Amino acid sequence: MKFARFEFHGAISFGIVEDDIVKVISSTPFDDFDVLDQIHHISEVQLLAPTVPSIIFFMGGNYMDHLGGGEPPVVPQVYTKTPNSIIGPDDTIIVPSHAGHVQEEAELVAVIGKPCRNVSQADALDYVFGYTCGNDVSARDWQASDPTFWRAKASDTFSPIGPYIVTGLDPTKLVITATVNGEQVQHCKTSDMVHDTATCISYISQSVTLGPGDIIYTGTGGTQVDLQEGDVVEIGIEEIGVLSNTVTVD
């Protein structure tokens, strides 16, 4: 199933997307819900970030071709983002003018569906509600100069996600692409992850309880490019859709 979070005439709702129609549901998709007798054409609504996470994790160095020839990490390299960095489809990525080189990172994002604590790798995917597209926007100069990634990865608007959450996918068999102004700049296969999605979830859950709607960016592969004023960045996963955002420099 495909779920959206959207705004219609000032009201924010969740719904099930079928073709070009969204059917409103009575609560979040992480709760028991009813399908209401309300439908909208997808063009009539404003799609929002499909979840509002309280916790956001991302994986560093989780694709071999993103390691620059370095050794793969023995355990998942886990970092955090902050909720203020989340934006949705067609929202603007705002790059601080003093940020230096800022690049896109095309990623599969796992969305947790129920409380997840101390789970095994074998059971970890049972706690995933679905998957969405993510862009782990990254300020490279700040990554190099700061002792942590607090602003390089978590500045306002640096965590676009969307457009939908899709259930029932195999996270080991997906292809992720990024285009900038229509030119493909990244092509990743989730089968090339150093630590797969289940391993990352299990590892995090040994120390931190994940809740419904929390998300995990699972890493990126390939080569990224510097983003400029006016660039249109699109992160695509065929089974999910295309997350599109425009860049502005503030």
Side-chain angles (χ1 to χ4, degrees), residues 9-187:
H9 289 176
I12 295 176
S13 304
F14 287 88
I16 297 170
V17 178
E18 297 179 356
D19 297 323
D20 293 328
I21 299 297
V22 56
K23 299 179 179 180
V24 181
I25 60 177
S26 59
S27 65
T28 80
F30 315 116
D31 302 313
D32 291 333
F33 63 82
D34 296 316
V35 179
L36 304 179
D37 189 22
Q38 300 176 36
I39 64 171
H40 306 293
H41 194 277
I42 201 72
S43 64
E44 299 175 329
V45 305
Q46 178 185 350
L47 292 176
L48 306 174
T51 180
V52 183
S54 60
I55 302 173
I56 305 157
F57 288 104
F58 70 95
M59 300 299 113
N62 205 28
Y63 283 75
M64 286 301 299
D65 60 359
H66 192 60
L67 291 171
E71 291 295 318
V74 176
V75 297
Q77 300 300 290
V78 184
Y79 302 84
T80 57
K81 286 174 167 279
T82 50
N84 64 284
S85 65
I86 292 287
I87 58 173
D90 299 319
D91 289 338
T92 301
I93 299 168
I94 302 172
V95 175
S97 59
H98 57 293
H101 298 285
V102 175
Q103 299 182 328
E104 92 298 332
E105 289 192 2
E107 308 201 10
L108 175 70
V109 175
V111 183
I112 301 299
K114 56 185 178 181
C116 176
R117 168 70 176 174
N118 199 28
V119 303
S120 67
Q121 292 182 29
D123 294 337
L125 296 186
D126 294 340
Y127 292 81
V128 175
F129 177 78
Y131 300 90
T132 192
C133 304
N135 185 354
D136 179 17
V137 180
S138 303
R140 302 305 188 194
D141 292 351
W142 288 346
Q143 280 185 258
S145 66
D146 293 349
T148 70
F149 290 171
W150 71 276
R151 60 175 176 165
K153 296 282 193 172
S155 290
D156 293 345
T157 76
F158 273 25
S159 302
I161 54 173
Y164 309 113
I165 301 171
V166 178
T167 63
L169 301 180
D170 182 345
T172 69
K173 297 180 180 180
L174 299 174
V175 175
I176 309 166
T177 61
T179 66
V180 177
N181 302 326
E183 179 180 351
Q184 183 171 295
V185 296
Q186 284 186 262
H187 183 277

